[in-house]
Amino acid sequence: DAKTTQPPSMDCAEGRAANLPCNHSTISGNEYVYWYRQIHSQGPQYIIHGLKNNETNEMASLIITEDRKSSTLILPHATLRDTAVYYCIVRWNYGQNFVFGPGTRLSVLP
Amino acid sequence: DAGVIQSPRHEVTEMGQEVTLRCKPISGHNSLFWYRQTMMRGLELLIYFNNNVPIDDSGMPEDRFSAKMPNASFSTLKIQPSEPRDSAVYFCASSLALAGGGYGYTFGSGTRLTVV
């Protein structure tokens, strides 16, 4: 599975959009980009995934660059409950398992 | 749906004792995963099952660790004998099909193990 690079931490003001970047420059054509988050003391939670096109669901939007070497997870109106570690993972959709890196620790500030 | 259920939530045991962690996956899911999380190493995959059969146990640290899935609704992770360095949060996750489907894995709330 391709490796990803994320900033170790970010801050965001409550009510503002949180934009979390992820670099995956060695991604291959059949690898998907997945995002999970882990709120303190809980298990990781699936957020969204995509291959080439931008994706949106009730939790977030995923923007993937045209060359697919990077992506951005957008939380449109961050709340205090969005404070968590966010993991960007690249893998085949029919691959083996998810390999979690250190992620980005997002702090939403009042 | 009750989600993935793990028990116990917390376990404190003495070094050398046997520890058994339990997991009930989501009904209908056919893949089950055991992860371990520590501050030093983050989230690590220990073993995963597909249709109750162990597929990859390369993440199991050593022979002291063993996992079973006797049926589709139950799995155990056993540590015997336990050591202080096994202290961690152990997560179980399940998914539909090995691919994980379009929604990835559903994780349980974890078992926090402390070996003293």
Side-chain angles (χ1 to χ4, degrees):
Chain A
D1 292 340
K3 292 181 65 175
T4 62
T5 303
Q6 299 178 252
S9 63
M10 292 181 63
D11 291 340
C12 176
E14 187 178 17
R16 306 296 292 269
N19 297 285
L20 293 95
C22 179
N23 287 322
H24 31 79
S25 58
T26 59
I27 191 171
S28 64
N30 55 1
E31 289 182 313
Y32 284 66
V33 180
Y34 281 79
W35 283 83
Y36 281 78
R37 73 179 182 184
Q38 187 174 22
I39 297 171
H40 182 61
S41 299
Q42 299 182 18
Q45 175 191 24
Y46 165 86
I47 301 174
I48 198 168
H49 79 289
L51 181 62
K52 296 179 181 179
N53 300 321
N54 298 336
E55 302 288 343
T56 296
N57 63 20
E58 65 278 5
M59 292 182 66
S61 295
L62 173 61
I63 308 298
I64 302 174
T65 58
E66 190 169 345
D67 63 8
R68 303 210 320 124
K69 292 185 177 181
S70 65
S71 61
T72 301
L73 178 74
I74 301 173
L75 308 179
H77 306 286
T79 70
L80 299 179
R81 287 177 294 182
D82 292 322
T83 293
V85 177
Y86 287 76
Y87 299 98
C88 170
I89 302 166
V90 174
R91 67 148 212 179
W92 290 22
N93 204 32
Y94 292 93
Q96 299 299 317
N97 64 77
F98 288 104
V99 177
F100 290 82
T104 295
R105 183 172 298 278
L106 174 69
S107 297
V108 180
L109 308 175
Chain B
D1 193 335
V4 176
I5 300 173
Q6 291 186 246
S7 64
R9 288 298 308 275
H10 302 274
E11 177 79 32
V12 180
T13 189
E14 291 185 347
M15 182 174 62
Q17 296 298 306
E18 177 181 295
V19 176
T20 299
L21 311 181
R22 297 173 176 79
C23 175
K24 177 179 170 56
I26 291 175
S27 177
H29 281 189
N30 59 359
S31 294
L32 183 139
F33 307 81
W34 283 100
Y35 282 82
R36 178 174 68 175
Q37 186 171 35
T38 61
M39 289 291 293
M40 291 295 294
R41 301 174 68 88
L43 271 162
E44 303 173 281
L45 178 69
L46 300 177
I47 185 172
Y48 74 90
F49 296 83
N50 187 41
N51 292 324
N52 312 336
V53 176
I55 303 299
D56 184 356
D57 65 354
S58 60
M60 296 286 262
E62 50 199 90
D63 292 345
R64 297 186 297 107
F65 285 68
S66 63
K68 294 182 179 180
M69 192 166 186
N71 56 63
S73 59
F74 184 65
S75 176
T76 59
L77 178 67
K78 185 176 295 186
I79 308 172
Q80 166 63 19
S82 58
E83 297 181 2
R85 59 191 169 126
D86 301 330
S87 297
V89 181
Y90 290 80
F91 289 104
C92 175
S94 70
S95 71
L96 179 61
L98 190 60
Y103 298 92
Y105 301 170
T106 301
F107 282 79
S109 298
T111 294
R112 181 174 295 277
L113 173 66
T114 302
V115 183
V116 298

